[in-house]
Amino acid sequence: MGSSSSGLNQAAAASYCQSKGMRLPTKDEALGIAVPNREDCAFPYSWGTWTSTSAGSGRAWDVGDDGGTFEYGVGGDGTFVLCVR
């Protein structure tokens, strides 16, 4: 993990990560970052991130730092965006 941004829809989030030479995490990768590492995370506040994992019909998964998962329309605004290599 090495970069973050906030308030982006999924396409803009993916583009942001790509501009940093990275990509959006999959749902499973984001859960792996969130749940076991919540106390050690560099972000001092709650966060959520778009993932590259489809939730079907123009929707994608968002994962929160507590391991919560949510389905959002890909055109909606997200919270934070975590990029992975």
Side-chain angles (χ1 to χ4, degrees):
M1 191 167 33
S3 192
S4 68
S5 188
S6 63
L8 304 174
N9 64 34
Q10 191 203 32
S15 180
Y16 172 82
C17 290
Q18 186 175 31
S19 76
K20 302 293 183 188
M22 300 171 157
R23 61 179 173 77
L24 288 174
T26 66
K27 180 181 173 187
D28 289 340
E29 287 171 330
L31 285 169
I33 294 166
V35 179
N37 301 308
R38 186 174 190 201
E39 299 299 320
D40 298 325
C41 187
F43 293 102
Y45 306 106
S46 295
W47 55 267
T49 185
W50 283 109
T51 71
S52 60
T53 305
S54 172
S57 191
R59 301 177 71 77
W61 288 102
D62 179 282
V63 171
D65 67 329
D66 62 355
T69 56
F70 308 94
E71 292 180 41
Y72 289 115
V74 296
D77 289 338
T79 49
F80 290 98
V81 176
L82 302 179
C83 303
V84 297
R85 292 191 192 276

